[in-house]
Amino acid sequence: MVTTKKVGDEGEARALAHLQRQGLTLIERNYRVARGPRSPGGEVDLILRERDGTLVFAEVRHRATRSHGGAAASVGTAKQRRLVLAAQHYIGRLHTPPPCRFDVVALDGDRIEWLRAAFDAA
C-alpha cells in the first residue's frame, strides 16, 4: 500500500541524493520545532552544508503532475514562515551562525528542480 508518508519519504530521499551529488553534505533531516498548543510549529525537511560552509535549509515538495502550478508553487508564504521559524530555532543553537539560505527541491513526476535561494527570511 502506498501512503502519502511513503511517497514523501521517497521524495526526500531522491532530493537528498540529488543534492549530495551536487556536493552538499547532510546535517539533519526533518528538523521540527513546536510553537505552542494553538500555533503550528515548523519543520525543515533537509538541513545541509555547501562546500563553502553555507547552511542550506531545503524544503522538498512532490507532485505527481505539474497541474495547479507544480511542486515549487506549493511553497506559499505560510509554509515559508514555518520554515523560517524552524531555521531560526536551529541557528539559535549554534555558537557562530554561518551564512544561510532557503532552497526548494521540487519533484514534479520524474523531474527534479533545485531552486537555490528560493526565498529569504524577510
Side-chain angles (χ1 to χ4, degrees):
M1 181 172 156
V2 177
T3 64
T4 55
K5 168 112 172 74
K6 182 174 176 157
V7 170
D9 289 347
E10 289 171 357
E12 277 187 22
R14 280 181 56 208
L16 176 58
H18 179 77
L19 296 173
Q20 288 176 321
R21 284 192 301 273
Q22 306 305 315
L24 280 75
T25 303
L26 179 66
I27 303 299
E28 193 155 345
R29 274 181 100 152
N30 301 313
Y31 181 80
R32 292 180 176 94
V33 60
R35 185 178 227 176
R38 295 179 190 235
S39 298
E43 178 185 357
V44 179
D45 293 328
L46 303 170
I47 302 175
L48 307 110
R49 189 170 307 275
E50 282 268 19
R51 289 184 183 124
D52 69 0
T54 300
L55 201 56
V56 177
F57 297 95
E59 171 68 7
V60 179
R61 300 302 274 200
H62 181 267
R63 295 292 179 266
T65 67
R66 291 188 55 91
S67 64
H68 305 301
S74 70
V75 183
T77 55
K79 181 62 177 176
Q80 290 175 21
R81 280 194 302 271
R82 290 192 301 274
L83 288 162
V84 169
L85 171 75
Q88 288 171 332
H89 185 270
Y90 184 85
I91 292 168
R93 304 177 340 171
L94 304 177
H95 180 64
T96 306
C100 301
R101 73 168 191 261
F102 294 92
D103 292 1
V104 172
V105 180
L107 306 169
D108 289 297
D110 292 333
R111 183 172 171 246
I112 296 178
E113 183 179 11
W114 177 22
L115 304 168
R116 295 172 135 219
F119 62 93
D120 57 36

